[in-house]
């Protein structure tokens, strides 16, 4: 069996007849090393391989044709260790952090699924994802993307590579840059790119920005656009620059810049950060979280189905 030389996330469709294929890259299952003889993804990391799967039900009724999202690392520590090892070897990565809002969008957007399928690393960002994985019999730790900004800055400083920041406004990026360089004095932010309002990650502006990234000294880019824009941009940039790192961090740059206030620790410990955020912006976030809550029963059903399948092996 031939192994891939880096961990791959995957989003594959389970067809009604029980076969699986990638929704966007059906031919990938034929690539040597993509699947082992028992039809399981193979991940080669700095640690022994670990992965879990989240079943994503289709937009219609029932569970036939659901998607599987592979979580490539159990914890933040495992993820960061792997990323640092890759950067040290001159290899890149694209990190997506799966949360319930992503699941809702993945059910309806083939383009978003295609972008997820192109990511090398996927971790659990959001307590519901952790709970669903555990309900399915898989031990996964919470790894919020917004909490990866400063640890990745420290990693960049240790490995001697530069960072690039993408998203927000010139003012917020300048504040984020100051926060990063204050927290990790040896870290260097080589570029700060603020896209225009209405930025399309599949548009001509994106092509210009990707070319700018390619010309930059930055080896790791922190993308703060929100989903699905940041994941689509990451997938495109990673395809062009497989030796660079791309990490989608959502509001992470705004948090360290002080442009957005993070929920207090006690609120986060109670898994109520979503309520805190919704209270601050109900018009925008109430519909989003309403869709997330509405899909939970179906996700729980899918997780129990997955658990029964795992126990039956």
């Amino acid at each position: 069996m031939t192994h891939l030389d880096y961990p791959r996330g995957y989003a594959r469709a389970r067809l009604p007849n029980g076969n699986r294929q990638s929704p966007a890259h059906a031919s990938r299952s034929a690539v040597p090393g993509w699947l082992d003889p028992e039809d399981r993804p193979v991940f080669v990391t700095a640690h022994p391989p670990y992965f879990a799967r989240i079943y994503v039900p289709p937009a219609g009724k029932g569970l036939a044709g659901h998607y599987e999202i592979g979580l490539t690392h159990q914890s933040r520590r495992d993820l960061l260790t792997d990323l640092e090892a890759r950067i040290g070897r001159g290899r890149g990565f694209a990190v997506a952090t799966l949360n319930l809002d992503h699941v809702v969008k993945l059910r309806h957007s083939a383009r978003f699924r295609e972008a997820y399928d192109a990511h090398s690393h996927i971790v659990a960002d959001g307590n519901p994802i952790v709970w669903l994985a555990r309900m399915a019999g898989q031990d996964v730790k919470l790894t919020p993307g917004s909490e990866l900004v400063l640890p990745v800055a420290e990693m960049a400083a240790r490995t001697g590579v530069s960072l690039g920041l993408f998203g927000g406004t010139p003012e917020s990026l300048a504040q984020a840059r100051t926060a990063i360089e204050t927290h990790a004095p040896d870290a260097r932010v080589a570029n700060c790119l603020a896209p225009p309002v209405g930025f399309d990650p599949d548009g001509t502006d994106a092509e210009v920005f990707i070319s700018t990234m390619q010309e930059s000294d930055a080896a790791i880019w922190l993308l703060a656009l929100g989903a699905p824009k940041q994941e689509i941009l990451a997938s495109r940039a990673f395809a062009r620059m497989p030796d660079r790192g791309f990490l989608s961090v959502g509001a992470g740059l705004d948090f360290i810049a002080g442009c957005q206030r993070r929920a207090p620790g006690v609120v986060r410990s109670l898994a109520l950060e979503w309520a805190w955020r919704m209270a601050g912006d109900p018009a925008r976030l109430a519909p989003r979280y309403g869709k997330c809550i509405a899909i939970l029963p179906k996700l729980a059903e899918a997780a129990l189905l997955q658990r029964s399948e795992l126990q039956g092996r």
Side-chain angles (χ1 to χ4, degrees):
M1 176 176 61
T2 303
H3 285 65
L4 294 174
D5 67 350
Y6 57 88
R8 298 290 304 195
Y10 69 101
R12 295 181 298 150
R14 181 187 291 272
L15 303 178
N17 63 7
N19 295 326
R20 297 190 184 103
Q21 68 178 23
S22 161
H25 303 292
S27 62
R28 177 169 284 173
S29 60
V31 176
W34 173 241
L35 299 176
D36 74 9
E38 296 182 8
D39 191 31
R40 293 176 303 191
V42 176
F43 301 121
V44 180
T45 68
H47 299 291
Y50 178 89
F51 74 94
R53 294 179 296 158
I54 300 296
Y55 279 15
V56 180
K61 295 181 179 180
L63 296 178
H66 67 261
Y67 291 91
E68 298 175 5
I69 303 298
L71 303 179
T72 61
H73 291 74
Q74 181 185 26
S75 66
R76 183 173 77 170
R77 178 181 177 181
D78 288 345
L79 173 69
L80 291 172
T81 299
D82 196 21
L83 298 186
E84 185 164 349
R86 292 186 60 76
I87 287 296
R89 297 194 301 269
R91 296 178 178 177
F93 52 80
V95 181
T97 57
L98 182 68
N99 60 35
L100 211 52
D101 178 53
H102 291 194
V103 171
V104 171
K105 291 180 169 70
L106 285 164
R107 297 179 75 207
H108 299 278
S109 173
R111 181 67 184 95
F112 195 22
R113 292 194 295 269
E114 180 182 3
Y116 248 80
D117 196 37
H119 279 67
S120 60
H121 297 64
I122 301 176
V123 291
D125 177 348
N127 283 293
I129 300 300
V130 173
W131 298 334
L132 289 166
R134 291 177 180 173
M135 188 181 297
Q138 303 168 121
D139 185 23
V140 172
K141 309 298 184 185
L142 186 65
T143 308
S146 61
E147 295 181 3
L148 292 173
V149 174
L150 295 180
V152 168
E154 295 169 0
M155 179 185 76
R158 285 193 301 272
T159 54
V161 300
S162 299
L163 294 169
L165 310 183
F166 190 99
T169 65
E171 294 76 20
S172 66
L173 290 179
Q175 292 172 303
R177 178 178 191 164
T178 298
I180 287 172
E181 294 179 343
T182 299
H183 177 82
D186 292 332
R188 187 174 80 88
V189 177
N191 287 83
C192 295
L193 301 178
V197 175
F199 172 73
D200 178 2
D202 278 323
T204 54
D205 281 349
E207 188 64 32
V208 173
F209 278 119
I210 290 172
S211 295
T212 301
M213 291 176 174
Q214 198 164 15
E215 295 169 1
S216 168
D217 291 334
I220 301 174
W221 283 88
L222 304 179
L223 310 179
L225 296 171
K229 290 184 178 182
Q230 59 192 11
E231 289 79 15
I232 292 174
L233 182 66
S235 67
R236 292 190 62 193
F238 185 43
R240 182 85 65 84
M241 295 167 275
D243 60 335
R244 311 279 184 97
F246 301 91
L247 177 64
S248 296
V249 299
L253 296 183
D254 278 349
F255 285 151
I256 66 167
C259 299
Q260 288 191 46
R261 185 183 173 193
R262 187 82 189 272
V266 64
V267 174
R268 298 200 300 271
S269 68
L270 294 172
L272 291 174
E273 186 170 10
W274 64 273
W276 167 275
R277 295 187 64 191
M278 185 174 66
D281 191 358
R284 182 174 69 91
L285 295 180
R288 176 192 296 183
Y289 292 143
K291 293 177 182 177
C292 292
I293 293 171
I295 195 181
L296 276 174
K298 206 166 189 179
L299 287 171
E301 180 186 358
L304 293 175
L305 170 64
Q306 183 182 5
R307 187 184 190 96
S308 66
E309 289 183 352
L310 291 174
Q311 291 175 341
R313 289 182 179 177

